[in-house]
């Protein structure tokens, strides 16, 4: 409506008023009544989910559990469109890949921790990925080809009908919003055999914005003077706010809650104005070409400034600097130049500033009118363009005297498409909390202006994921996915200007900066966090450029060794070498991109960099780069475990406890992620290094709270202490670290009557041990120790015990259990805002958390506080980290004991 001159821009339209039409039948009113916290209309004219008999396919405790719907006969579309005048935005959902259902450990854990399938919602949620893609509206055929090649209109290539070959085009309905949903409906019907069900544009915009602000942790950010700062929004303090959607025209919407909003104003001077006038005045052929042109402009050649009026001086009495624009295009009045005499670059910049300032000022005045302090700007006019955001931010700040704040959204152009996607019945997305969505880095090579940013990727330069290149049915490739031709960016070929120096940064790009959203219904906030709202996992903040540069250098130097291990893990084949080389170039390209724009992928911490590396490895099908090394080190460590246990048993309890902690610290030296430790491996065997490390365990350590921990464990004098009920031991590396360090410590806790849960990674990362590897390690260790054997049987870890856990529990009732839980991640670090349901359930009765290793206890969570006692153990294997955290040196030890946080 923004561009319609026949309607006033301040017309108010409330959603509630739509349902009050007296001519509607009662049945229609009932059908449109909201069924959840969202008041969006839920259509019943499309196939519905039949959830009867729903069950987990495989194991419930998989990170992304697949829900089997045995009575579902229709494929459910997981695609929605926002078809605008300039761009088509797609949001589509892809199911996760199936995994083996023969995981006895997870079934055992499910029984042990009392995890149920439907304890949080009445219908299942499909785990998978939410993707964002855009096309120019003028390239509609490419968009249709993309949908067809991936079978998105039929539920995707992973749908039951695609696998069975029983596809049908009958009654396929796709949700769509925007003017093109009406204009191009016939094209979709003729080309794809689908009907477009139109959703109200304002409904979709608001629903999309609300969802993103709740679900994505660092969705909103401010942008002032070229500096981007992410803002964490408190869900309880989100409403009300002003949503300013800048498309061809501008709509300003006051949002009071889910499904509660009213359009309070707007202006017909928006993105269409900029593009239309710009095209006439500069002859640019695309919106982004016009934006790029503005980067080289000087608006003072066209705009009349305050200094032009006052002889170069400020008008300080009313707070106007000499560089303030007094009149846009005002300088052209008194000159005799023709249009051809003005530089197109200057015209473009002057036009951009005029429209951006105007939008910023009108937005603030409407926020002032309703007493709103928070203004969110969205729409593809912004395009992540730094100068546009700075201009809008300046206008809001100037007119509000700093009282109001302009904020922008990373998925700014996809609000309508997301809202349309959410209008499908019973997808459940509007019920999900932020921690259930994990935003992964975009794994495609970092495109900017159709070129790879950083080292070229050769024949892999289109995309990293092969499933994005080809549609596979069994082993037969049936249809290629159209890829971006040279000179364009990403699937769909939407052109973007280059990014060099001070030129355009396309932060809104789906290919470059918007990561795929992984929907993981089994992720939860760790229940033992003292204050989840203030919790920040990253200890190292990379906002300082020097700090950023240092860690990028560390990762780059470690890259050749990592590639060697990855290739070796795949047998050193030619294919593995090719993928290893491509991984190295792709990861280097991402590092180069982040060096230029650290906030390109969201808020960046050291943990994010380490996660990026692991995600990139997995995208190149390196599932476990250190598998052979881990197996070799486990075998070597298990061979000497009996002698260590015998040695420990000969000690008194005080000496034994100290030796155990020394053993954990000494064994933590085995970290293939540390350059210093990699060098050590060339100087001796794993056992020789371990023994050398133990001999050098001289107290006091750099951080030494052992005496506090000993007092809590053993008491003092005549004081007796109650043993811990349940301890969660977050283990780190394979080999000596787990076998000679953490397992003996777990054994001591078990000896004292404490239940022990070994918490390990869900996916491999470096040489870290995984939850699936632990039962085998425990089983081998249990051959030499009755304490471990009985506890493992009670915890269902031994193979025979997994078959009938209830019978074994009766037989081992006199033993406290030793259990295993996955943490839900595949990184050397851990974010306690996103842990598996298995781990969350394991926190019941837990009163001790032990974090071991640099990644979990230093890189992340060094400052974390918990509701229970916490012990943080690590050997510092990086000189800079030693200086930053403990004011010490490499190989210093940290033993930090923190009593339960008082709430």
């Amino acid at each position: 409506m923004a561009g319609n001159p026949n309607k006033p821009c301040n017309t108010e339209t409330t959603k509630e008023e739509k349902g009050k039409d007296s001519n509607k039948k009662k049945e229609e009113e009932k059908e449109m009544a909201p069924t959840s916290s969202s008041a969006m209309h839920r259509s019943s004219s499309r196939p519905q989910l039949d959830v009867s008999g729903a069950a987990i396919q495989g194991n419930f405790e998989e990170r992304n559990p697949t829900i089997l719907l045995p009575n579902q006969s229709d494929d459910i579309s997981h695609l929605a469109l926002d078809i605008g005048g300039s761009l088509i935005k797609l949001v589509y959902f892809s199911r996760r890949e199936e995994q083996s259902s023969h995981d006895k450990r997870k079934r055992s854990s499910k029984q042990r921790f009392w995890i149920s399938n439907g304890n949080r919602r009445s219908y299942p949620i499909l785990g998978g990925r939410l993707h964002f893609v855009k096309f120019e509206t003028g390239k509609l055929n490419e968009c249709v080809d993309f949908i067809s090649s991936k079978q998105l209109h039929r539920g995707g290539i992973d749908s039951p009908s695609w696998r069975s070959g029983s596809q049908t085009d009958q009654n396929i309905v796709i949700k769509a919003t925007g003017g093109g949903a009406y204009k191009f409906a016939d094209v979709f019907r003729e080309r794809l055999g689908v009907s477009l069900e139109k959703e109200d544009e304002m409904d979709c915009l608001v629903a999309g914005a609300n969802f993103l602000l709740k679900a994505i942790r660092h969705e909103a950010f401010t942008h002032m003077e070229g500096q981007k700062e992410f803002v964490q929004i408190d869900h309880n303090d989100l409403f009300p706010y002003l949503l300013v959607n800048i498309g061809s025209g501008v709509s300003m919407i006051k949002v009071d809650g889910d499904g509660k909003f009213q359009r309070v104003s707007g202006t017909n001077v928006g993105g269409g104005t900029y593009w239309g006038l710009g095209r006439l005045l500069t002859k640019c052929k695309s919106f982004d070409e016009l934006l790029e042109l503005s980067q080289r402009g000087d608006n003072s050649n066209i705009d009349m400034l305050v200094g032009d009026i006052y002889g170069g001086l400020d008008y300080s009495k009313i707070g106007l600097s000499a560089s303030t624009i007094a009149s846009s295009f005002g300088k052209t009045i008194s000159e005799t130049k023709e249009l051809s005499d003005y530089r197109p670059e200057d015209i473009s910049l002057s036009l951009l500033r005029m429209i951006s300032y105007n939008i910023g000022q009108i937005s603030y005045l409407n926020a002032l009118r309703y007493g709103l302090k928070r203004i969110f700007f969205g729409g593809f006019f912004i395009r992540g363009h730094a100068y546009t955001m700075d201009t809008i931010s300046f206008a809001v700040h100037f007119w509000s005297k700093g009282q109001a704040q302009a904020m922008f959204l990373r998925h700014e152009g996809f609000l309508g498409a997301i809202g349309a996607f959410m209008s499908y019945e019973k997808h459940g997305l509007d019920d999900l909390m932020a921690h259930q969505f994990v935003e992964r880095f975009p794994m495609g090579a970092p495109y900017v202006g159709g070129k790879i940013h950083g080292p070229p990727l050769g024949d892999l330069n289109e995309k990293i994921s092969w499933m994005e290149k080809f549609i596979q049915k069994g082993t037969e490739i049936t249809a290629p996915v159209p890829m971006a031709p040279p000179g364009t960016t990403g699937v769909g070929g939407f052109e973007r200007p280059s990014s060099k120096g001070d030129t355009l940064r396309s932060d809104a790009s789906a290919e470059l900066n918007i990561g795929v959203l992984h929907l993981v219904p089994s992720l939860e906030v760790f229940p033992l966090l003292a204050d989840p709202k203030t919790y920040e996992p990253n200890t190292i903040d990379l906002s300082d450029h020097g700090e950023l540069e240092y860690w990028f250098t560390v990762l780059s130097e470690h890259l050749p060794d990592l590639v060697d291990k990855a290739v070796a893990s795949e047998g050193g084949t030619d294919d593995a070498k090719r993928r290893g080389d491509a991984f190295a170039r792709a990861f280097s390209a991402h590092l180069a991109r982040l060096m230029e724009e650290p906030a390109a992928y969201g808020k960046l911490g050291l943990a994010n960099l380490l996660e990026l590396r692991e995600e990139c490895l997995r995208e190149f099908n390196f599932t476990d780069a250190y598998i052979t090394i881990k197996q070799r080190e486990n075998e070597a460590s298990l061979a000497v475990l009996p002698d260590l246990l015998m040695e420990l048993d000969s000690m008194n309890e005080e000496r034994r406890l100290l030796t155990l902690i020394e053993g954990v610290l000494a064994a933590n030296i085995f970290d293939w992620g540390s350059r210093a430790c990699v060098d050590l491996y060339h100087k001796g065997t794993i056992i020789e290094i371990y023994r050398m490390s133990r001999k050098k365990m001289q107290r006091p350590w750099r951080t030494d709270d052992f005496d506090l921990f000993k007092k809590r464990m053993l008491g003092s004098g005549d004081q007796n202490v109650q043993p811990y009920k349940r301890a969660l031991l977050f283990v780190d590396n394979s080999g000596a670290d787990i076998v000679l360090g953490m397992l003996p410590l777990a054994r001591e806790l078990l000896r004292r009557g404490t239940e022990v849960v070994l918490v390990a990674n869900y996916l491999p990362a470096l040489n870290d041990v995984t939850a699936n590897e632990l039962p085998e390690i425990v089983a081998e260790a249990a051959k030499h120790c009755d304490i471990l054997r009985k506890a493992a049987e009670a915890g269902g870890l031994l193979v025979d015990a997994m078959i009938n856990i209830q019978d074994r529990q009766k037989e081992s009732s006199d033993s406290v259990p030793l259990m295993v839980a996955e943490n839900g991640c595949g990184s050397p670090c851990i974010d306690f805002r996103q842990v598996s349901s298995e781990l969350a359930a394991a926190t019941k009765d837990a009163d001790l958390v032990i974090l071991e290793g640099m990644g979990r206890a230093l890189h992340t969570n060094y400052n974390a506080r918990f509701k229970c006692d916490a012990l943080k153990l690590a050997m510092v294997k990086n000189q800079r980290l030693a200086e930053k955290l403990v004011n010490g040196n490499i190989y210093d030890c940290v033993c930090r004991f923190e009593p339960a946080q008082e709430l």
Side-chain angles (χ1 to χ4, degrees):
M1 162 178 158
N4 189 341
N6 298 319
K7 296 184 179 180
C9 288
N10 63 345
T11 300
E12 297 188 2
T13 304
T14 67
K15 190 160 188 198
E16 289 74 13
E17 289 172 351
K18 295 179 182 179
K20 295 181 179 179
D21 188 344
S22 59
N23 294 324
K24 288 183 179 287
K25 297 180 180 179
K26 292 182 179 181
E27 291 79 13
E28 291 175 331
E29 293 176 341
K30 181 178 180 180
E31 180 182 335
M32 294 183 65
T35 58
S36 66
S37 58
S38 170
M40 285 193 65
H41 169 57
R42 303 292 188 188
S43 170
S44 60
S45 63
R46 57 177 307 282
Q48 303 294 298
L49 281 176
D50 184 350
V51 301
S52 59
I56 298 295
Q57 184 176 15
N59 298 286
F60 175 76
E61 287 314 303
E62 290 176 353
R63 188 177 181 188
N64 300 294
T66 298
I67 306 294
L68 178 65
L69 303 179
N71 299 317
Q72 178 63 45
S73 58
D74 297 307
D75 283 327
I76 300 301
S77 176
H78 294 283
L79 163 71
L81 303 167
D82 179 4
I83 311 176
S86 302
L87 294 170
I88 303 172
K89 285 78 66 176
L90 281 78
V91 172
Y92 71 92
F93 185 80
S94 64
R95 298 174 179 88
R96 64 179 303 279
E97 295 180 3
E98 292 184 15
Q99 295 186 2
S100 171
S101 61
H102 304 291
D103 191 333
K104 296 176 181 177
R105 183 200 68 76
K106 290 185 178 181
R107 291 205 297 272
S108 169
S109 298
K110 181 178 174 181
Q111 290 179 319
R112 167 63 60 182
F113 300 132
W114 297 99
I115 299 172
S116 63
N117 287 356
N119 57 346
R120 288 173 182 82
R121 55 184 65 88
S122 59
Y123 50 86
I125 302 296
L126 287 171
R129 302 180 179 186
L130 203 58
H131 304 258
F132 305 89
V133 181
K134 62 179 180 293
F135 296 83
E136 290 184 51
T137 304
K139 297 178 180 179
L140 176 63
N141 286 334
E142 289 186 12
C143 174
V144 173
D145 289 340
F146 176 75
I147 294 171
S148 177
S149 65
K150 295 182 76 67
Q151 295 294 296
L152 298 179
H153 57 306
R154 297 192 180 108
I157 60 173
D158 49 5
S159 65
S161 67
W162 171 260
R163 291 172 178 165
S164 65
S166 60
Q167 301 97 330
T168 176
D169 289 338
Q170 294 181 354
N171 301 321
I172 297 179
V173 178
I174 300 297
K175 294 286 189 176
T177 188
Y182 299 87
K183 184 176 181 180
F184 301 114
D186 290 342
V187 175
F188 282 86
R189 184 180 300 106
E190 293 168 4
R191 292 284 310 277
L192 298 175
V194 304
S195 299
L196 296 185
E197 183 167 328
K198 292 81 173 176
E199 292 293 323
D200 182 79
E201 194 166 356
M202 293 294 169
D203 288 356
C204 291
L205 285 172
V206 173
N210 286 345
F211 168 72
L212 289 169
L213 289 169
K214 291 179 180 180
I216 312 304
R217 183 170 296 116
H218 295 122
E219 174 66 25
F221 62 91
T222 59
H223 204 291
M224 288 285 287
E225 298 180 356
Q227 297 298 313
K228 177 186 290 184
E229 182 175 341
F230 290 93
V231 180
Q232 181 56 38
I233 305 298
D234 184 348
H235 296 175
N236 298 320
D237 190 36
L238 173 60
F239 307 111
Y241 67 83
L242 187 69
L243 176 62
V244 181
N245 188 65
I246 313 174
S248 298
V250 183
S251 286
M252 299 177 187
I253 308 164
K254 178 176 177 284
V255 182
D256 295 301
D258 290 318
K260 299 177 182 178
F261 64 89
Q262 56 180 340
R263 185 183 186 278
V264 296
S265 187
T267 171
N268 54 3
V269 180
T273 311
Y274 176 60
W275 172 216
L277 287 176
R279 186 171 178 274
L280 291 174
L281 297 174
T282 67
K283 298 183 180 179
C284 284
K285 297 181 179 179
S286 73
F287 189 101
D288 283 326
E289 183 184 352
L290 187 64
L291 273 183
E292 184 181 14
L293 204 62
S294 72
Q295 300 293 131
R296 304 189 296 272
D298 181 357
N299 68 298
S300 65
N301 294 326
I302 292 180
D303 293 339
M304 182 180 293
L305 309 181
V306 169
D308 295 328
I309 300 173
Y310 291 93
L313 301 177
D314 296 337
Y315 192 173
S316 55
K317 184 176 180 179
I318 58 175
L320 299 178
S321 67
S323 61
T324 300
I325 299 175
S327 175
S328 294
F329 288 85
K331 194 171 287 186
T332 64
I333 298 173
S334 57
E335 297 177 344
T336 58
K337 297 179 180 179
E338 299 295 326
L339 176 61
S340 58
D341 296 325
Y342 292 99
R343 297 174 64 238
E345 293 89 339
D346 300 339
I347 294 173
S348 177
L349 182 59
S350 178
L351 190 60
L352 178 65
R353 293 190 67 169
M354 177 183 75
I355 293 173
S356 298
Y357 275 139
N358 182 60
I359 293 172
Q361 181 179 8
I362 295 176
S363 299
Y364 165 66
L365 292 175
N366 277 281
L368 179 65
R369 175 185 172 195
Y370 291 98
L372 306 175
K373 300 292 185 183
R374 193 179 285 151
I375 310 173
F376 294 104
F377 291 86
F380 258 113
F381 167 74
I382 299 171
R383 306 284 173 95
H385 188 218
Y387 200 92
T388 303
M389 292 186 289
D390 271 356
T391 306
I392 291 174
S393 296
F394 177 84
V396 171
H397 185 272
F398 177 84
W399 290 108
S400 71
K401 294 181 170 59
Q403 295 302 303
Q405 193 175 38
M407 285 184 282
F408 305 91
L409 303 174
R410 294 186 62 222
H411 296 78
E412 58 189 9
F414 291 93
L415 300 185
I418 293 173
F421 182 85
M422 293 181 65
S423 67
Y424 283 119
E425 285 281 356
K426 294 185 179 180
H427 55 63
L429 293 185
D430 47 355
D431 292 339
L432 299 181
M433 299 299 290
H435 57 271
Q436 291 169 308
F437 271 93
V438 184
E439 185 172 14
R440 298 299 187 202
F441 297 99
M443 283 294 107
Y447 279 103
V448 185
K451 297 180 180 179
I452 301 296
H453 190 94
L457 298 182
D459 59 350
L460 293 178
N461 64 354
E462 294 100 341
K463 289 275 285 184
I464 287 175
S465 174
W466 284 271
M467 286 306 294
E468 292 292 333
K469 289 183 179 180
F470 300 102
I471 304 303
Q472 291 187 337
K473 189 173 182 181
T475 58
E476 178 186 2
I477 297 176
T478 58
V481 174
M483 300 308 303
T488 62
T489 60
V491 177
F494 175 63
E495 298 177 358
R496 280 197 303 277
S498 61
S499 175
K500 297 289 182 184
D502 294 329
T503 56
L504 175 64
R505 297 198 304 266
S506 304
D507 292 345
S509 159
E511 286 295 315
L512 180 59
N513 293 312
I514 297 177
V516 173
L517 300 183
H518 289 227
L519 171 56
V520 189
S522 61
L523 289 187
E524 303 182 27
V525 174
F526 189 58
L528 296 180
L529 275 180
D531 187 359
K533 289 184 178 180
T534 60
Y535 168 76
E536 169 55 49
N538 285 294
T539 304
I540 302 298
D541 185 0
L542 299 184
S543 58
D544 175 76
H545 188 75
E547 194 72 29
L548 184 67
E549 194 170 32
Y550 169 80
W551 288 103
F552 278 11
T553 301
V554 169
L555 291 180
S556 297
E557 289 178 349
H558 180 249
L559 192 55
D561 183 73
L562 177 58
V563 172
D564 289 343
K565 299 296 184 297
V567 173
S569 73
E570 298 283 324
T573 63
D574 289 341
D575 175 67
K577 292 177 182 177
R578 174 176 173 270
R579 287 185 284 119
D581 180 59
F583 155 71
R585 286 179 282 147
F587 184 55
S588 297
H590 281 291
L591 292 182
R593 168 60 181 154
L594 288 169
M595 278 298 293
E596 177 185 298
E597 177 55 41
Y601 301 159
K603 188 175 182 180
L604 188 66
L606 182 54
N608 304 116
L609 278 182
L610 298 177
E611 183 181 25
L612 169 60
R613 180 181 60 190
E614 300 302 327
E615 287 286 326
C616 203
L617 269 173
R618 285 188 281 270
E619 284 293 327
F620 279 101
N621 288 349
F622 290 110
T623 56
D624 193 344
Y626 286 81
I627 182 65
T628 55
I629 290 175
K630 291 194 296 182
Q631 291 171 347
R632 184 173 66 246
E633 293 186 353
N634 286 338
E635 291 173 2
S637 301
L638 285 165
V640 299
L641 178 62
D643 291 338
L644 174 61
L645 297 182
M646 187 179 300
E647 177 187 352
L648 289 167
D649 288 343
S650 68
M651 302 175 181
N652 63 44
E653 62 179 9
E654 186 172 329
R655 175 59 187 160
R656 185 167 66 243
L657 185 61
L658 176 60
T659 303
L660 286 166
I661 299 301
E662 288 176 342
V664 172
L665 294 171
N668 191 234
I669 198 172
F670 297 98
D671 186 348
W672 282 92
S674 164
R675 171 55 57 185
C677 295
V678 171
D679 293 339
L680 275 179
Y681 286 113
H682 302 297
K683 299 177 182 178
T685 66
I686 182 173
I687 302 305
E688 289 171 343
I689 297 170
Y690 170 70
R691 288 172 177 163
M692 175 195 69
S693 181
R694 272 191 63 182
K695 288 179 181 178
K696 293 185 177 181
M697 288 285 108
Q698 299 296 322
R699 295 185 64 198
W701 301 312
R702 179 58 59 179
T703 301
D704 194 338
D705 292 339
F706 172 76
D707 291 334
L708 289 175
F709 180 63
K710 180 183 72 173
K711 183 177 180 181
R712 170 60 185 86
M713 285 284 292
L714 307 180
S716 59
D718 297 332
Q719 179 187 4
N720 293 323
V721 294
Q722 289 292 323
Y724 287 108
K725 294 180 181 179
R726 177 179 286 184
L728 306 180
L729 276 60
F730 289 78
V731 298
D732 191 12
N733 306 301
S734 297
D737 202 354
I738 177 63
V739 176
L740 305 181
M742 292 298 277
L743 263 186
L745 179 58
R747 177 177 179 260
E748 181 66 20
L749 289 164
L750 292 166
R751 185 205 299 265
R752 295 180 173 279
T754 302
E755 294 184 354
V756 173
V757 182
L758 300 176
V759 185
N761 271 15
Y762 164 64
L763 294 173
L766 291 173
N767 62 317
D768 290 355
V769 67
T770 66
N772 281 336
E773 294 165 348
L774 273 175
E776 183 177 349
I777 295 173
V778 171
E780 287 298 315
K783 294 178 181 179
H784 309 288
C785 174
D786 284 344
I787 296 175
L788 289 176
R789 180 181 60 79
K790 291 180 180 179
E793 286 181 349
L797 291 184
L798 300 187
V799 175
D800 56 343
M802 293 177 189
I803 298 173
N804 197 334
I805 184 174
Q806 292 181 344
D807 292 341
R808 282 292 181 174
Q809 285 174 348
K810 294 176 183 177
E811 295 176 12
S812 306
S813 58
D814 58 335
S815 297
V816 291
L818 172 64
M819 298 165 282
V820 169
E822 64 182 34
N823 57 24
C825 76
S827 166
C829 303
I830 186 168
D831 183 344
F832 278 111
R833 293 169 300 199
Q834 295 171 323
V835 303
S836 69
S837 292
E838 181 178 302
L839 174 54
T843 61
K844 186 178 184 298
D845 296 328
D847 46 4
L848 175 64
V849 166
I850 299 180
L851 294 172
E852 184 234 355
M854 280 207 310
R856 295 160 186 80
L858 298 182
H859 289 155
T860 52
N861 302 306
Y862 186 70
N863 300 316
R865 294 295 179 266
F866 300 93
K867 297 176 182 178
C868 63
D869 289 358
L871 180 65
K872 300 171 184 177
L873 302 170
M875 176 180 284
V876 185
K877 290 152 284 191
N878 178 279
Q879 183 60 45
R880 192 177 187 96
L881 191 66
E883 295 168 356
K884 284 280 184 180
L885 293 188
V886 296
N887 193 29
N889 299 299
I890 194 170
Y891 301 131
D892 277 344
C893 293
V894 172
C895 175
R896 188 175 186 179
F897 180 67
E898 299 159 347
Q901 185 83 18
E902 294 184 6
L903 301 180

